[in-house]
Amino acid sequence: MRRRLLALVCVSASLLTGCGVMSDSAAERRTVTVWLMQHSASQDFLDRFTEEFEREHETLDLDIRIQEWTGIGEKVQQALRDDDPDGPDVIEVGNTQVSAYAEGDGLLDLTLESMRDWGRDDWLPGLAEPGRWGSQQYGVPWYAANRVVVYRKDLFRAAGVTPPKTRDEWLETTERLDTGDTQGIYLAGQDWYTLAGFIWEEGGELATERDGVWRGALDSEAALRGMDFYRRLQRLGDGPVDADEEHPPQAGVFAQGRVAQIVAVPGLVRAIVQQNPGLEDKIGYFPVPGTEAGRPGAVFTGGSDLVVPAGTDAEDAAVEVVAALTGARWNTDLARTMNYVPNKASLADSVAGEEGLRAMAAGAARGRATPATPRWSVVEADNPIKEYMTRVLTGADPQKEAERAARRITETLAFD
């Protein structure tokens, strides 16, 4: 590759001129180019990390370049195909995107480092599992965010209820809250990420793989139980059955003051308080309840992994950057700075002082990701799950609609 050839030329030149002459010169310094996504980390965090990293690695310079999410998929794919010496050495990618990049042999296999040095067994499963392709680890978990229940403390007190511990209690509590002008919960009919958690909690799947073949699984008994729970909960409010949580944005609906609960990431509360400052001291959080007391429900875990392009000419240096950013010190710093969940369950105590993060960290321990196939993004683009949800919520037969949606998912995943 071009970048490796350039490195070999530099090494040959140094041999011709004498190895010792340039040992302390600027010519031996290497630049590690890092692509991070917009808003993933504050500038203050990046400045502190860069200064510390370069001080601890005297021959390395960091060049952190901020990217926008819009169009990033094709931009990353192009970078993995090119032999551009100015290309990235470390890239932040969405946790569910890793398989699409690993499929074409574009990423460095980090399995050895992950198992030997980085404590892979303690990583949050919702970040670690989608970072694998086959049995190899290509994506290293950086940070996580998952849904919790955001609720009105004052409305709970007025109704004489407390945060529920199980799903059955959640239904009972929500029914008591759903009275007069107050919605027990605002849950949009096509919030399929929340539905996914309910399905996983019942032991179901969105899709399953056998012998390399993926099939839709919404028609399993377990998945149908998850959809039935969604239906029962959703009816205890006035969420639209034919739209998702962004249409209209649920932060704005909650800010109007007549909703007792929503299912959202804690960071959404910033938008709520901006629209209605009077709610700031009235908002609380608890993990999405599970079927058993003392164990939060399964949830979709979003977030980012760090990957290293296979063609980098700075492999060792890139691995050092990944190790530092995902290690305990800087990972907990990032979590506190940005209100994220750290990448390991053992680091959850580092954010325990903030109620929203504490609830999110508890749920993250049971976090999951979407099916680990590169074609899942195509499923999401067409998204038969949303149509399935709306049909069931408007009275269609759940079994028939689940079978229809499962077939469409199977067809999409099988398309070559």
Side-chain angles (χ1 to χ4, degrees), residues 54-382:
E54 291 181 348
R55 183 165 58 244
E56 294 176 351
H57 301 78
E58 295 180 353
T59 62
L60 298 180
D61 293 322
L62 287 185
D63 179 13
I64 297 178
R65 304 182 183 182
I66 304 302
Q67 311 295 315
E68 295 185 359
W69 284 108
T70 302
I72 191 60
E74 178 55 36
K75 188 171 184 178
V76 171
Q77 293 284 17
Q78 187 65 46
L80 297 180
R81 289 192 296 266
D82 289 349
D83 293 330
D84 184 358
D86 195 38
D89 303 299
V90 177
I91 308 174
E92 175 194 350
V93 300
N95 62 319
T96 61
Q97 299 172 341
V98 176
S99 60
Y101 303 136
E103 184 184 33
D105 297 325
L107 301 181
L108 186 69
D109 182 357
L110 298 171
T111 306
L112 176 61
E113 292 85 352
S114 298
M115 298 180 67
R116 182 189 63 196
D117 305 322
W118 298 340
R120 182 174 79 165
D121 290 344
D122 194 30
W123 285 341
L124 296 177
L127 293 181
E129 291 171 3
R132 295 172 195 152
W133 178 244
S135 60
Q136 309 305 109
Q137 192 79 42
Y138 294 96
V140 180
W142 190 24
Y143 66 83
N146 52 267
R147 287 161 174 77
V148 302
V149 182
V150 178
Y151 77 102
R152 286 278 300 276
K153 294 180 178 180
D154 56 330
L155 295 181
F156 269 55
R157 282 194 300 269
V161 297
T162 58
K165 303 300 183 184
T166 67
R167 296 210 312 192
D168 287 342
E169 290 180 9
W170 195 16
L171 284 173
E172 294 171 5
T173 297
T174 305
E175 189 167 10
R176 290 182 62 176
L177 291 161
D178 188 42
T179 180
D181 293 333
T182 300
Q183 298 182 51
I185 190 168
Y186 178 85
L187 184 60
Q190 295 183 349
D191 186 352
W192 72 275
Y193 282 122
T194 295
L195 171 65
F198 295 168
I199 289 174
W200 293 328
E201 179 67 12
E202 291 288 350
E205 300 288 346
L206 302 178
T208 58
E209 183 266 337
R210 183 176 180 181
D211 298 327
V213 178
W214 283 91
R215 299 183 184 279
L218 292 176
D219 54 341
S220 72
E221 290 185 6
L224 285 165
R225 288 196 300 270
M227 182 65 224
D228 185 61
F229 178 79
Y230 192 100
R231 177 190 61 79
R232 295 167 66 194
L233 187 65
Q234 198 272 342
R235 68 180 178 82
L236 298 175
D238 299 327
V241 297
D242 58 351
D244 61 26
E245 65 275 18
E246 290 301 319
H247 300 89
Q250 63 178 343
V253 177
F254 193 88
Q256 293 173 9
R258 295 188 295 275
V259 171
Q261 306 170 87
I262 56 173
V263 181
V265 295
L268 190 73
V269 172
R270 287 193 294 269
I272 294 172
V273 173
Q274 285 177 353
Q275 297 176 62
N276 188 346
L279 293 180
E280 184 169 10
D281 297 327
K282 299 178 180 178
I283 293 176
Y285 314 80
F286 59 87
V288 172
T291 55
E292 302 174 9
R295 190 185 75 163
V299 290
F300 170 76
T301 298
S304 286
D305 285 14
L306 298 180
V307 300
V308 176
T312 178
D313 65 333
E315 180 177 313
D316 291 344
V319 169
E320 286 291 324
V321 173
V322 173
L325 281 171
T326 62
R329 177 184 177 187
W330 288 106
N331 200 244
T332 54
D333 189 321
L334 180 71
R336 294 191 196 101
T337 300
M338 302 300 297
N339 292 335
Y340 293 145
V341 174
N343 60 8
K344 291 184 176 180
S346 60
L347 300 177
D349 287 347
S350 66
V351 297
E354 203 283 316
E355 184 183 1
L357 291 183
R358 185 166 62 249
M360 188 162 60
R366 301 206 60 233
R368 295 278 304 275
T370 51
T373 164
R375 289 201 58 79
W376 187 257
S377 61
V378 184
V379 173
E380 289 192 22
D382 180 47

Side-chain angles (χ1 to χ4, degrees), residues 1-74:
M1 292 187 171
R2 181 180 175 190
R3 301 180 76 185
R4 293 190 182 278
L5 289 173
L6 287 174
L8 290 172
V9 169
C10 292
V11 170
S12 299
S14 68
L15 290 174
L16 289 172
T17 57
C19 295
V21 175
M22 300 177 66
S23 61
D24 295 323
S25 70
E28 282 197 347
R29 295 189 65 83
R30 290 180 296 167
T31 296
V32 186
T33 302
V34 182
W35 282 9
L36 299 181
M37 301 308 300
Q38 189 176 35
H39 305 310
S40 286
S42 67
Q43 190 59 52
D44 175 67
F45 173 87
L46 296 178
D47 290 343
R48 286 187 286 109
F49 174 77
T50 299
E51 180 180 359
E52 186 89 6
F53 184 87
E54 291 181 348
R55 183 165 58 244
E56 294 176 351
H57 301 78
E58 295 180 353
T59 62
L60 298 180
D61 293 322
L62 287 185
D63 179 13
I64 297 178
R65 304 182 183 182
I66 304 302
Q67 311 295 315
E68 295 185 359
W69 284 108
T70 302
I72 191 60
E74 178 55 36

